[in-house]
DNA sequence: TGCGAGTTAGTGAATACTAACTCACTCTCC
DNA sequence: GGAGAGTGAGTTAGTATTCACTAACTCGCA
């Protein structure tokens, strides 16, 4: 069930509003104004706000997951290359959407809304599973099992997302971003690293 | 201005409520019930909700920053050891509070509330500055400048926080956590890593 | 007696959602 | 081809709920 043209227009406006001023500013009234008609008209296109949010998340997932699956399954690439490609794509999506995914996650965490967290969590779990498939090929590193390592590759996108929304003054250029992504994935996929000195 | 005993009691209950069911569930009414009296009585102790939230954040900062400063300034330790200690302490605080810091960050991001984001951002900036002091001693790594590297050490706590609140079923033991922290800091502080193969 | 710390009862604003209506457009039947 | 029914998509006006916050009171106590 792909969105109708009108639904797509609504989703576009909703994403704009959220990118501009956060999810709390996405009220049905403000969204209707942005689209250019009145509040009750929105309910002709979506049965309620949670359906609207779910559609937004599904749309984001559609921009994230298929490419992820493609990269994760590309056996011409080494596991390291695949992880690099996956993190790169995730970060690129974050930057292109001004941190939209992390805003949905933030809203889910802050509100405790079950449905919302189920939508967001569903996408994230599939993402983590894909990472886990690839880290499994690398094997455990530093005593950390493959599926725990997958969590680590969530770390950089999370940090980038936080920077985007909370510290826009620390903006990273495309080049800096690419360097950081490479440095990050490269470092975390080294076959063996020397043990650090014990801390007190 | 340390909190009065009654204020401390209120802050305790507020932290409990948030840990249990998210910041959206922290209403003045529910908080009053939890403390054991009625809503208007709260206003005898805090002039409003934002003052209450600010006090909660300041309290969290008080549990995070002094230890951070101590570790960052301990010149008996190598920079790697200091970073390890700082990340370890941050992660320990997250786990002890069931992800409280990331919930405040999430609320700030989702709500777009200026005052709240100023409180949260203030603590985070001081944290990032301390990390930056230490990464500066390490010098640039993989073409990433010292202050950009500081962002990276936000990545693991962020990932751990997300796991705590969004995927409690993936809970990490203390031992696993310590291994992950060590692996993470160790990997990201290697003096030089071989370049990864270029991805298409 | 004055004050700190509670109470009851209530206000106003914001929000998701709804009821009932209008109106243009299309399809059908003659 | 045109009258009439049905429908999709908008409108105005309103409801119920939830929230932070307040006014005005009570009560125990130094």
């Amino acid at each position: 069930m792909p969105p109708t043209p009108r639904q797509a227009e609504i989703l576009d406006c909703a994403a704009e509003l959220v990118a501009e001023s956060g999810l709390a500013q996405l009220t049905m009234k403000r969204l209707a104004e942005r689209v250019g008609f009145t509040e009750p008209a929105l309910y002709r296109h979506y049965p309620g706000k949670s359906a609207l949010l779910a559609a937004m998340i599904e749309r984001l997932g559609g921009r994230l997951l298929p490419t992820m699956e493609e990269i994760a399954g590309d056996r011409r690439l080494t596991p390291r290359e695949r992880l690099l490609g996956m993190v790169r794509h995730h970060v690129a999506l974050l930057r292109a959407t001004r941190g939209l995914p992390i805003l949905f996650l933030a809203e889910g965490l802050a509100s405790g809304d079950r449905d919302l967290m189920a939508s967001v969590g569903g996408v994230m779990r599939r993402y983590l599973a894909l990472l886990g498939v690839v880290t499994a090929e690398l094997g455990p590193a530093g005593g950390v099992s493959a599926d725990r390592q997958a969590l680590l590759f969530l770390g950089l996108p999370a940090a980038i997302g936080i920077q985007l929304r909370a510290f826009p003054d620390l903006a990273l250029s495309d080049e800096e971003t690419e360097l950081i992504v490479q440095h990050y994935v490269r470092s975390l996929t080294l076959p063996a690293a020397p043990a650090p000195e014990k801390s007190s």
Side-chain angles (χ1 to χ4, degrees), chain A residues 19 60 63 89-101 160 164 174:
Chain A
L60 270 180
R63 290 177 68 179
H89 180 248
H90 189 177
V91 168
L93 178 63
L94 269 170
R95 287 168 59 85
T97 59
R98 293 186 55 191
L100 213 52
I160 298 269
L164 278 170
D174 290 347

Side-chain angles (χ1 to χ4, degrees), chain A residues 68-69 71-75 79 82-83 86 125-139 146-147 149-150:
Chain A
M68 285 293 170
E69 281 165 16
I71 300 174
D74 187 346
R75 308 202 57 93
R82 277 179 266 166
L83 287 171
M86 292 168 81
R125 276 178 201 278
R126 285 160 69 191
Y127 177 57
L128 282 173
L130 288 171
L131 286 172
V133 166
V134 183
T135 54
E137 294 187 36
L138 286 172
D147 52 324
Q149 283 182 66

Side-chain angles (χ1 to χ4, degrees), chain A residues 21-59:
Chain A
S21 37
L23 244 165
Q25 298 309 307
L26 179 66
T27 68
M28 298 304 266
K29 184 173 179 179
R30 264 188 279 264
L31 176 56
E33 278 168 14
R34 173 67 60 106
V35 179
F37 41 54
T38 58
E39 202 183 343
L42 285 181
Y43 290 87
R44 300 283 178 196
H45 303 281
Y46 285 104
K49 190 176 183 181
S50 49
L52 177 78
L53 293 180
M56 292 180 76
I57 292 165
E58 187 181 333
R59 203 190 211 197

